[in-house]
Amino acid sequence: MTIKIIASVGLVFAILVTSVPAMAQNQKALPPVPRTPDGHPDLSGVWQPGSDKPGTWAEANRGVGVAEPGRGGNVRKGANPPYQPWAAKLVLEAYNRRNADDYTARCIPELELGGLSLYPHQFVQTPNLIVLLMEVRHAFRLIPLNEKHPEDLDPAWLGNSVGHWEGDTLVVDVTGFKERLVGSKINTDALYIVERFTRVDYNTIEYSATVDDPKALLHPYTMTSKYMLRPGTRLQEYVCENNEDPARFEELDKKGLITREK
């Protein structure tokens, strides 16, 4: 009996030893992080925010074209603004009206801060300028490198961005926002954001954003997310139909179809 047990253990050990190299061979090694001629990580390509699943768009989203949570749940973390009471009241009012008055319902763009994984983003990188194209609402961001914000800055929905490299991390300073005082996201003209993009491997960009708005927030907060490379994906045309129809909203209000039941 003892001899049989020893023989069995030896056989299992032999199988494990021989299978490890086979498993290692089946796992393809990732290419190194590509770099530009000036040595910085190359962020160029089409990416999916708010995901941690590698592969093509179809492989990561089960082929249905609808983004899914990450492998361990929601990839985007910490995105709960600590609003001052007056701003929290406005957010609650918007929630109770199903965000019918939200700016995005009027096709106004906004910084998604590593979220909205349904739509891809494309980075176009040059030595002095990074362009970020976002399929949703056909929005784009121009991020000049090693420059200051213009002194004659015009407030914008996406703010004004300037960037610089800190080692392998692209740091983007964003200011000059228009106020948003209606909807699910409230900010004043004092909104200030610092984003960080770090391509940690061939498939993944680690993202973080530190958000401050002393007029609307109790204190700054930081949220994190990821961008996953989506080879073969192309940005598509996005058409946003302006939802400004006061008569239609009045009709829905009368039917009780906007305000949530309390």
Side-chain angles (χ1 to χ4, degrees), residues 60-104:
N61 299 285
R62 295 187 182 175
V64 296
V66 177
E68 297 177 349
R71 290 174 292 188
N74 193 350
V75 176
R76 190 167 178 256
K77 301 181 185 301
N80 296 310
Y83 285 119
Q84 296 177 17
W86 70 267
K89 180 174 180 291
L90 293 179
V91 172
L92 179 60
E93 290 174 356
Y95 172 81
N96 288 332
R97 286 178 55 79
R98 301 181 186 274
N99 292 322
D101 308 309
D102 201 289
Y103 287 97
T104 56

Side-chain angles (χ1 to χ4, degrees), residues 54-262:
T56 66
W57 194 279
E59 291 168 343
N61 299 285
R62 295 187 182 175
V64 296
V66 177
E68 297 177 349
R71 290 174 292 188
N74 193 350
V75 176
R76 190 167 178 256
K77 301 181 185 301
N80 296 310
Y83 285 119
Q84 296 177 17
W86 70 267
K89 180 174 180 291
L90 293 179
V91 172
L92 179 60
E93 290 174 356
Y95 172 81
N96 288 332
R97 286 178 55 79
R98 301 181 186 274
N99 292 322
D101 308 309
D102 201 289
Y103 287 97
T104 56
R106 311 292 194 271
C107 301
I108 299 296
E110 65 180 0
L111 283 185
E112 300 295 346
L113 299 181
L116 204 58
S117 56
L118 181 59
Y119 300 99
H121 293 188
Q122 182 169 357
F123 285 83
V124 181
Q125 184 170 337
T126 74
N128 299 313
L129 176 70
I130 292 178
V131 181
L132 181 52
L133 307 172
M134 296 159 283
E135 183 176 287
V136 61
R137 290 182 287 275
H138 262 357
F140 67 91
R141 297 173 62 187
L142 301 179
I143 307 173
L145 300 177
N146 302 317
E147 293 189 14
K148 296 181 178 180
H149 294 286
E151 294 184 1
D152 57 346
L153 194 61
D154 289 328
W157 296 114
L158 297 178
N160 180 266
S161 299
V162 296
H164 66 276
W165 289 97
E166 293 183 1
D168 284 347
T169 298
L170 173 66
V171 181
V172 182
D173 186 279
V174 197
T175 188
F177 289 93
K178 289 186 177 181
E179 288 189 325
R180 291 175 183 259
L181 301 180
V182 175
S184 59
K185 299 176 184 177
I186 300 298
N187 73 265
T188 72
D189 57 0
L191 177 62
Y192 174 69
I193 299 173
V194 177
E195 299 173 290
R196 289 176 169 82
F197 300 83
T198 307
R199 189 168 184 176
V200 294
D201 61 36
Y202 186 79
N203 286 323
T204 313
I205 292 176
E206 295 279 2
Y207 173 86
S208 72
T210 299
V211 183
D212 191 15
D213 186 343
K215 294 182 181 179
L217 299 177
L218 294 171
H219 55 78
Y221 70 97
T222 298
M223 56 81 53
T224 60
S225 187
K226 297 177 186 289
Y227 285 72
M228 298 301 291
L229 186 65
R230 293 290 176 247
T233 299
R234 297 190 298 270
L235 269 63
Q236 311 244 339
E237 184 175 44
Y238 182 100
V239 177
C240 186
E241 295 185 8
N242 202 320
N243 207 11
E244 291 184 348
D245 186 354
R248 175 62 174 160
F249 280 119
E250 289 176 7
E251 179 184 348
L252 293 174
D253 251 340
K254 290 178 182 178
K255 294 180 178 180
L257 298 178
I258 291 182
T259 304
R260 298 175 189 271
E261 293 183 4
K262 297 181 179 180

Side-chain angles (χ1 to χ4, degrees), residues 19-31:
S19 63
V20 168
M23 291 172 59
Q25 289 176 4
N26 291 333
Q27 294 178 348
K28 294 182 180 179
L30 289 177

